[in-house]
Amino acid sequence: MQLQHLLGIEYLNPQQINTILDLADHYANKNRTDSRNSNVLLGCTQINMFFENSTRTQASFEIAGKRLGADVMNMSMEASSIKKGETLVDTALTLNAMHPDLLVVRHPHSGAVDLLAQKVNCAVINAGDGRHEHPTQALLDALTIRRSKGRLHRLNIAICGDIAHSRVARSNIILLGKMENRLRLIGPATLMPTDINEFGAEVYHDMQEGLKDVDVVMMLRLQSERMDGGFIPSEREYYHRYGLDAGKLSFAKPDAIVMHPGPMNRGIEIDGEIADDLNLSVIQEQVEMGVAVRMAAMEILMHNSRQNKKEMNE
Ligand code: NCD
């Protein structure tokens, strides 16, 4: 599996997706035991560069790296020279000169992480770029679905809410499509991407119709920081039409699972009681799988980079 970077699901084939998920599954089980720490990444320097706020993604990349024995550094981008006018590429080149093995990057601009990967000579993981991709989120969602449904194909999956501004939606649509699931996108027309027809998914503007008989209900946060105007009439109206409550959920299959990448706006996208109901919601499991998926992705990238260096020295 000759992956050098993990920049997007669009660059992965189903076999590579399964390889990452199989290793992540192993780590998910190991993380539940007392022997969750190892030396797989001993001697590796991992730098987390987050140019946008993050709670669970940054924490789980840090825990994943430490659990595998890497030296992990969190750059505070608020305090970095970016504030003094340095460009993203200059910052990356400065860090590159310190010989890190892995950069984990989140950035508000779509495409910024791909650009950065071309400029450095270490592995790069995209931890979310603008509205473009968030590959480790889609992989952790896939692992959560696979563990809970026993398979990752031929499922009816609804992705609901602010599809237009969501990199989580984009990466999930690509991944779940590649694994041959039936996708439905549900939300107001104002929150659907303009290139929606290219996704090969069914589009619904009504939750009851869209949720009928689905196996998986994936809710999304309203990405107000990426909106430059009024995309919804009001939060109250939005909750009424698109917020997941017991009434709307009753149209899904009785054993449907409810997902949300977090951070969650209770009472806007989702009823708090549904989010907390462990018989329905796998939201905490998504967080748990996040650590396992990131461990797997980092192990694979570091293995490949060691292999490449070895071949170059021979
Ligand atoms: C998502 C993100 O940052 O794209 N969050 C996450 O990584 N768990 C979704 C969001 O911010 O709504």
Side-chain angles (χ1 to χ4, degrees):
M1 160 133 167
Q2 265 319 314
L3 265 191
Q4 208 189 336
H5 306 294
L6 181 56
L7 298 175
I9 301 295
E10 61 186 309
Y11 309 115
L12 301 180
N13 60 41
Q15 198 193 340
Q16 290 172 315
I17 292 169
N18 280 327
T19 304
I20 299 173
L21 295 183
D22 290 346
L23 184 59
D25 199 44
H26 155 79
Y27 277 125
N29 294 335
K30 198 169 145 84
N31 283 343
R32 289 184 179 179
T33 71
D34 288 336
S35 55
R36 49 185 166 262
N37 293 340
S38 74
N39 287 334
V40 174
L41 295 191
L42 195 68
C44 286
T45 303
Q46 170 193 341
I47 304 182
N48 296 335
M49 301 167 70
F50 280 66
F51 296 88
E52 247 188 19
N53 294 341
S54 172
T55 308
R56 66 222 86 220
T57 305
Q58 184 165 353
S60 78
F61 268 112
E62 182 174 351
I63 290 174
K66 287 184 171 160
R67 225 163 249 183
L68 295 176
D71 295 316
V72 186
M73 185 186 139
N74 287 309
M75 282 282 295
S76 160
M77 299 327 291
E78 275 293 305
S80 79
S81 292
I82 291 273
K83 284 273 173 232
K84 298 183 186 164
E86 188 172 68
T87 65
L88 168 69
V89 169
D90 281 336
T91 305
L93 290 177
T94 304
L95 292 174
N96 189 51
M98 299 179 199
H99 300 291
D101 300 282
L102 178 65
L103 294 179
V104 178
V105 189
R106 167 170 286 190
H107 199 277
H109 294 158
S110 305
V113 185
D114 285 50
L115 173 73
L116 191 142
Q118 291 164 22
K119 306 284 178 189
V120 297
N121 41 28
C122 63
V124 176
I125 298 185
N126 180 1
D129 64 324
R131 56 173 86 173
H132 177 224
E133 279 238 33
H134 191 353
T136 55
Q137 179 70 43
L139 287 161
L140 76 87
D141 289 338
L143 184 60
T144 307
I145 295 172
R146 196 173 90 168
R147 283 170 70 102
S148 145
K149 291 283 156 203
R151 67 179 200 275
L152 189 59
H153 58 276
R154 297 210 186 154
L155 291 165
N156 289 317
I157 301 175
I159 304 181
C160 317
D162 184 0
I163 318 263
H165 300 101
S166 173
R167 55 197 174 209
V168 174
R170 202 163 178 282
S171 290
N172 263 302
I173 291 167
I174 302 172
L175 190 154
L176 296 168
K178 284 188 187 203
M179 305 314 273
E180 297 182 7
N181 294 286
R182 282 218 297 274
L183 286 180
R184 301 182 190 175
L185 308 180
I186 316 176
T190 48
L191 295 178
M192 288 290 166
T194 43
D195 53 353
I196 193 83
N197 294 330
E198 288 167 28
F199 290 132
E202 294 168 36
V203 177
Y204 292 85
H205 301 302
D206 180 273
M207 284 286 271
Q208 297 184 353
E209 268 175 48
L211 289 181
K212 194 161 184 326
D213 294 332
V214 297
D215 300 286
V216 177
V217 183
M218 192 182 286
M219 302 307 297
L220 299 170
R221 182 176 66 88
L222 279 174
Q223 309 265 307
S224 36
E225 72 275 26
R226 293 185 224 292
M227 296 181 191
D228 51 6
F231 282 78
I232 55 164
S234 71
E235 285 177 351
R236 211 183 131 137
E237 170 76 12
Y238 182 82
Y239 182 68
H240 176 67
R241 292 201 56 195
Y242 295 102
L244 189 66
D245 56 17
K248 297 184 190 94
L249 185 59
S250 68
F251 287 83
K253 282 203 184 134
D255 63 349
I257 54 169
V258 174
M259 306 178 77
H260 193 302
M264 225 173 352
N265 293 308
R266 291 166 186 261
I268 298 179
E269 301 112 37
I270 189 165
D271 171 14
E273 274 183 33
I274 290 185
D276 295 334
D277 184 340
L278 297 181
N279 293 320
L280 303 168
S281 160
V282 292
I283 295 171
Q284 292 307 320
E285 198 168 334
Q286 288 174 270
V287 178
E288 184 186 0
M289 293 308 121
V291 176
V293 154
R294 286 160 184 138
M295 289 169 84
M298 292 198 287
E299 175 176 343
I300 290 168
L301 292 186
M302 287 303 95
H303 173 81
N304 292 349
S305 110
R306 283 176 180 148
Q307 252 343 82
N308 284 345
K309 280 184 195 149
K310 215 162 116 195
E311 279 163 24
M312 272 160 61
N313 289 335
E314 273 167 13

